[in-house]
Amino acid sequence: MKKQLFNVALFAVVLCCKVFAQPTEQIVKVIVAPDHQDWLYKTGEKVKFSIAVYQYGNLLKNAAIRYEIGPERMDPAIKDSLNLSSGVLSVDGGTMKTPGFLRCIVVAKVEGKEYRKMATAGFDPLNIKPTVDNPADFSDFWTNAKNDLAKIPLDARITLLPERCTEKVNVYHVNMANYPGNARLYGILCVPKKAGKYPALLAVPGAGVR
């Protein structure tokens, strides 16, 4: 049984590695969104960001906010501070002449506490070009790294989590050896109980402090 489940994990690739605490519900919520539902724009097209502040589920009037807009990871091109008299605001974010991402960061201060939210509009993101060339030895480095990893026994382990299972899905905690040998990869494996063919979903952690 364990061997079959590992085969499902390896070949169906249903390894979910998002392991972090559930976020707590906030009394105050800051909502930021661009005016295109898919958040995508053509270069040269203007974007507007809508900003709203809620408290206990209701729009909070006269909330004090500050916001800044600019290319992602760059100095902001637009900065301002004001009070939301109606609780909502639409701001002109400008545009980008080259493919990239334009980010709006909003900080609201309510009863002495600050609440931060952001939204990022993508301008022709599929046309973003590399800013540097790969090092000349990159292919050799990558090949050697894969060969080193292949020398480490998989040592895969799986544990059923009865409290997470449902009437349709068995849930397992899985982990396996990783380079350089004293490290391990951890994840959650969900396997449908009913026999049949199913699509596979792989979810991995994003980059960042989480």
Side-chain angles (χ1 to χ4, degrees):
M1 178 61 180
K2 290 185 177 181
K3 184 176 180 180
Q4 292 175 341
L5 289 173
F6 277 123
N7 288 337
V8 174
L10 295 174
F11 292 102
V13 202
V14 197
L15 184 60
C16 302
C17 300
K18 286 187 176 180
V19 183
F20 49 82
Q22 291 293 326
T24 57
E25 184 71 13
Q26 288 188 330
I27 295 175
V28 175
K29 288 186 177 181
V30 181
I31 307 297
V32 188
D35 56 351
H36 282 192
Q37 189 171 4
D38 60 3
W39 295 31
L40 295 177
Y41 297 78
K42 298 294 184 182
T43 51
E45 187 177 7
K46 290 188 175 182
V47 55
K48 287 189 175 182
F49 290 96
S50 61
I51 302 170
V53 179
Y54 290 83
Q55 186 177 37
Y56 302 111
N58 298 314
L59 273 174
L60 181 61
K61 295 183 179 180
N62 297 313
I65 69 162
R66 65 179 187 272
Y67 67 88
E68 56 185 47
I69 301 173
E72 184 183 28
R73 302 295 181 182
M74 302 292 287
D75 292 335
I78 301 173
K79 298 177 69 174
D80 200 1
S81 299
L82 47 82
N83 288 347
L84 299 184
S85 58
S86 64
V88 297
L89 176 69
S90 178
V91 296
D92 186 356
T95 188
M96 296 188 72
K97 296 181 179 180
T98 57
F101 295 96
L102 190 68
R103 173 163 291 175
C104 176
I105 300 175
V106 179
V107 178
K109 190 171 185 179
V110 181
E111 298 176 354
K113 185 176 180 180
E114 291 190 339
Y115 300 84
R116 185 176 185 269
K117 194 72 174 181
M118 69 176 67
T120 306
F123 287 81
D124 289 328
L126 296 182
N127 292 324
I128 296 175
K129 304 299 182 183
T131 56
V132 296
D133 295 327
N134 283 337
D137 60 348
F138 178 79
S139 294
D140 291 339
F141 165 80
W142 188 242
T143 299
N144 292 335
K146 291 190 293 183
N147 291 337
D148 289 340
L149 180 61
K151 298 174 184 178
I152 300 174
L154 189 61
D155 189 25
R157 306 171 189 176
I158 185 167
T159 304
L160 179 67
L161 301 176
E163 69 279 7
R164 297 291 182 91
C165 298
T166 70
E167 68 278 4
K168 295 182 179 181
V169 177
N170 279 329
V171 181
Y172 302 85
H173 183 266
V174 296
N175 66 87
M176 59 191 68
N178 187 31
Y179 185 85
N182 57 352
R184 301 189 70 81
L185 289 173
Y186 295 86
I188 298 295
L189 170 66
C190 302
V191 183
K193 291 182 177 180
K194 185 178 179 180
K197 293 184 177 181
Y198 298 89
L201 172 65
L202 171 67
V204 297
V209 296
R210 296 298 294 271

